[in-house]
Amino acid sequence: MVKKFYFPFLLLILIHPGVGFKTSQLKNARVKVAFTEKESMLLQKLESKGVQTKRLKIFLRVFKREKRIEAWAKNWNTNKFVKITEYAICANSGTLGPKRRAGDEQVPEGFYFIERFNPMSNFYLSLGLSYPNASDRKFSHAADLGGDIFIHGSCVTIGCMPITDDKIKELYTLCVLAQDAGQINIPVHIFPCKLTKESLDSLRVQFKLKPDNIRFWENLKLGYEYFESKRELPKVFVRMDGYYIFQ
C-alpha cells in the first residue's frame, strides 16, 4: 500500500516540476497584464502548430547580426521543434563576438538557459540568462566576467537583448507557460549570425585579425547545424579547453 500511495506523487513531481509557477507569477501586476493581453493569442499560435500547452517545451535562438530572437516549441512527447514566432531586437551594444569580461558591452555568444524570471524589472519584464557558463569561464582571463544578461523590455541595452515592452509581455508569458508545464531549463542559443557556410566565410573575411573569434564561431556552427538539420536540440558539453561538444 505504501508503494501505491507514494509512487504517483513522486511521478507527478518528476514530470511536472513547474506546476504552480504560473499562479505564483500572476501575483505580480505586470505579469497579470501580460497574460491578459497575450495568453489567448499565444495559445492560438501554439494550437495552430499542434503544440499542447500542458505538454509545452520551448527553445529560444538569438541571432545578433540579424537582430532576431526566434521562439520554437514542441510537445514533451515529440522530438521536432516548430517555429512559433520571432521578435526583433530593438537595440544592441558591442560588436559580433563573445563576451569575455565585465564592461565590454558585449552580448554573450554560446549555449545558455533562462535561470531567472524578473517580473519587477527596470525594463518592464526580464528573463535572465545563465551567463557566464563553463565555456565563458574557460576562455576568459578576466577577474570579473560580468553578469546580469537579460532578454527584456524597453529599447536600451548594455550587453542585453531588448525587444520592447509589448513583445517582452508575449515572450515572458510563453516562458511562464513552459515553466508551468514542467520545463525546468529553457535553452537559449546565441549566435553572431545565422551560421551558414556563406555567413561564416563572410565573418572570416571581416574578422581576419581575430582568429580566436573565427575558431569559436566554427565551433558554434556545429551546434547551429545540429538544430538546423534535425529540429532537435543537441546535448551540449564543454571541453577542458572551453570549446563545445554536441551529441
Side-chain angles (χ1 to χ4, degrees), residues 106-204:
Q106 287 292 98
V107 175
E109 294 173 6
F111 300 85
Y112 305 94
F113 59 88
I114 291 172
E115 65 174 5
R116 283 180 283 172
F117 287 72
N118 185 0
M120 295 179 288
S121 170
N122 290 333
F123 305 99
Y124 199 77
L125 297 166
S126 61
L127 301 162
L129 269 62
S130 58
Y131 170 88
N133 65 16
S135 173
D136 299 315
R137 293 188 180 94
K138 288 286 185 180
F139 278 119
S140 179
H141 301 293
D144 184 359
L145 277 70
D148 290 334
I149 303 298
F150 291 89
I151 300 172
H152 60 64
S154 187
C155 270
V156 294
T157 183
I158 300 178
C160 294
M161 291 150 280
I163 59 172
T164 77
D165 290 355
D166 181 65
K167 295 304 181 182
I168 194 62
K169 290 176 186 176
E170 181 178 328
L171 181 54
Y172 195 96
T173 298
L174 180 63
C175 291
V176 169
L177 289 173
Q179 188 101 28
D180 193 65
Q183 184 176 4
I184 298 174
N185 292 326
I186 298 173
V188 182
H189 295 180
I190 308 178
F191 300 103
C193 61
K194 294 186 176 182
L195 287 173
T196 63
K197 179 183 181 302
E198 294 74 20
S199 293
L200 188 57
D201 286 344
S202 174
L203 290 174
R204 289 189 178 106

Side-chain angles (χ1 to χ4, degrees), residues 52-64:
Q52 302 171 35
T53 311
K54 291 183 179 180
R55 296 171 179 250
L56 176 63
K57 186 172 184 179
I58 67 172
F59 157 59
L60 305 180
R61 194 163 65 154
V62 179
F63 299 108
K64 291 166 60 173

Side-chain angles (χ1 to χ4, degrees), residues 2 43 69 162 179:
V2 173
L43 295 181
I69 298 175
Q179 188 101 28

Side-chain angles (χ1 to χ4, degrees), residues 134-135 138 215 219 237-245:
S135 173
K138 288 286 185 180
R215 186 181 177 195
N219 181 231
F237 304 92
V238 177
R239 298 186 336 198
M240 291 299 295
D241 60 3
Y243 287 101
Y244 294 101
I245 300 173

